Amino acid sequence: MIEAIKLFLIGIVLGAANVIPGVSGGTIAVVFNIYDRLINSVTYNIKKLWKNRAFLIPLILGAAVGLVALSKVIVLLYSRFPVQTNSFFTGLILGSIPLLISFIIPKNKAKISPVKTLALILPFAAGLILILIFSRLSGTASDSAALTALPSLTLPLVIKLFFGGFLGAVAMVIPGISGSLLMLIIGVYPIIIAAIPCFFHAATMLPAFLILFPAGLGVLAGLLAGAKTIGLLLKKFPSATYAVILGLIVGSALTIFPWEEILGSAVLCVTSIVALVAGFLLAYLSTKFSRDEKSRGNA
């Protein structure tokens, strides 16, 4: 019973962490020493899932509580302080960059050559160009209109929600990478965050369910299949894979930050800078554990 309560409380922290772009749920799992057990428990094997039910059930229930509770806070912040909230998220994104750079650049600087440098620049450029094009075609990731009214369900939106859930789930199980950050990058984060609390109200339950269902299928597919694929890429081509992710992150920071809004108001400018710095420090400090773990692993 005590172990179940402990796992439930850890789940709350894990669920809350996965709501904040730039904060890695995988890193939180490492901090609480459940990462290996969690990865080994996520499988197609129904018998193995059932065998691990005492571990998974309280953890999942706690994560659901943390997810719902913090999503309401995010919706409230977006509705009252949209510019500062986007600035805070930009800071979270920027704060995750030092960790990614530490994953990309080898500890032994003598291993860096012009060819290897080019091999990193190209995937970085690919990720950067991809997110800029995606933002241009689908609207910027900072669009928070969905937080005031859930969008109508269309086939392109269903595909986008599934893809967002898939990438988010893949990132959730990789220490140092934020699942909600990738959802924010491709523009589904505000939609999903707004739909979560709406699901618990009778008047908005159906439209919220129609939005959360494809995203949930994406999360399931990401946990069962995508995480293993990305894990293989990180094992075979770690620097190049992280370089693509870095390109996506840098591009998303450019599209999310409310450049136009802060230029018209001194108050918005100051408060946005404060929010950006706070977000940067939160993400930077939360990923310090991952950097330390990586350094110890390379020692």
Side-chain angles (χ1 to χ4, degrees):
M1 184 63 181
I2 295 177
E3 180 67 14
I5 294 173
K6 178 182 175 182
L7 288 170
F8 179 79
L9 295 175
I10 292 174
I12 292 177
V13 178
L14 195 64
N18 278 309
V19 175
I20 305 174
V23 178
S24 168
T27 298
I28 298 299
V30 172
V31 170
F32 285 105
N33 198 29
I34 63 167
Y35 180 78
D36 290 338
R37 190 177 177 187
L38 178 60
I39 294 300
N40 292 328
S41 299
V42 178
T43 174
Y44 290 111
N45 191 324
I46 302 299
K47 289 184 178 179
K48 190 174 181 180
L49 284 173
W50 181 249
K51 183 180 178 181
N52 291 301
R53 64 187 183 280
F55 168 73
L56 289 173
I57 291 176
L59 192 68
I60 292 172
L61 290 176
V65 171
L67 190 71
V68 172
L70 198 56
S71 66
K72 292 183 178 181
V73 175
I74 298 296
V75 170
L76 180 64
L77 290 174
Y78 251 130
S79 63
R80 296 190 178 182
F81 311 102
V83 176
Q84 293 87 346
T85 302
N86 277 327
S87 299
F88 179 74
F89 283 164
T90 303
L92 289 173
I93 293 171
L94 296 176
S96 66
I97 290 178
L99 174 69
L100 287 173
I101 292 176
S102 73
F103 287 167
I104 295 169
I105 299 177
K107 191 173 183 180
N108 184 358
K109 302 297 189 298
K111 294 182 179 180
I112 300 176
S113 66
V115 174
K116 290 183 178 180
T117 301
L118 182 62
L120 295 177
I121 291 175
L122 290 178
F124 169 80
L128 178 63
I129 293 171
L130 179 64
I131 189 60
L132 292 178
I133 292 175
F134 189 88
S135 298
R136 177 70 64 177
L137 293 176
S138 61
T140 63
S142 60
D143 183 10
S144 58
L147 292 167
T148 56
L150 295 178
S152 300
L153 202 65
T154 62
L155 181 58
L157 180 58
V158 169
I159 296 173
K160 191 174 178 181
L161 288 168
F162 178 86
F163 187 58
F166 181 88
L167 286 181
V170 168
M172 285 175 194
V173 296
I174 303 175
I177 305 299
S178 167
S180 53
L181 174 61
L182 292 187
M183 291 183 182
L184 185 67
I185 287 172
I186 67 173
V188 300
Y189 177 80
I191 300 172
I192 294 175
I193 288 298
I196 291 173
C198 287
F199 181 73
F200 296 94
H201 297 279
T204 54
M205 180 179 291
L206 181 58
F209 172 79
L210 294 176
I211 285 173
L212 292 175
F213 184 70
L217 289 179
V219 169
L220 183 62
L223 288 174
L224 294 178
K228 295 185 182 298
T229 301
I230 297 297
L232 180 62
L233 287 174
L234 287 171
K235 184 177 181 180
K236 298 291 185 180
F237 315 102
S239 295
T241 303
Y242 279 118
V244 173
I245 296 173
L246 179 61
L248 292 171
I249 286 178
V250 172
S252 68
L254 295 174
T255 60
I256 292 169
F257 190 69
W259 303 94
E260 296 182 3
E261 289 88 341
I262 68 171
L263 294 177
S265 168
V267 174
L268 284 180
C269 183
V270 172
T271 55
S272 295
I273 291 175
V274 171
L276 186 144
V277 172
F280 178 90
L281 292 175
L282 175 61
Y284 181 81
L285 294 175
S286 70
T287 58
K288 188 177 186 302
F289 181 86
S290 292
R291 292 196 299 276
D292 293 342
E293 283 293 304
K294 180 176 182 289
S295 298
R296 284 194 287 268
N298 291 334

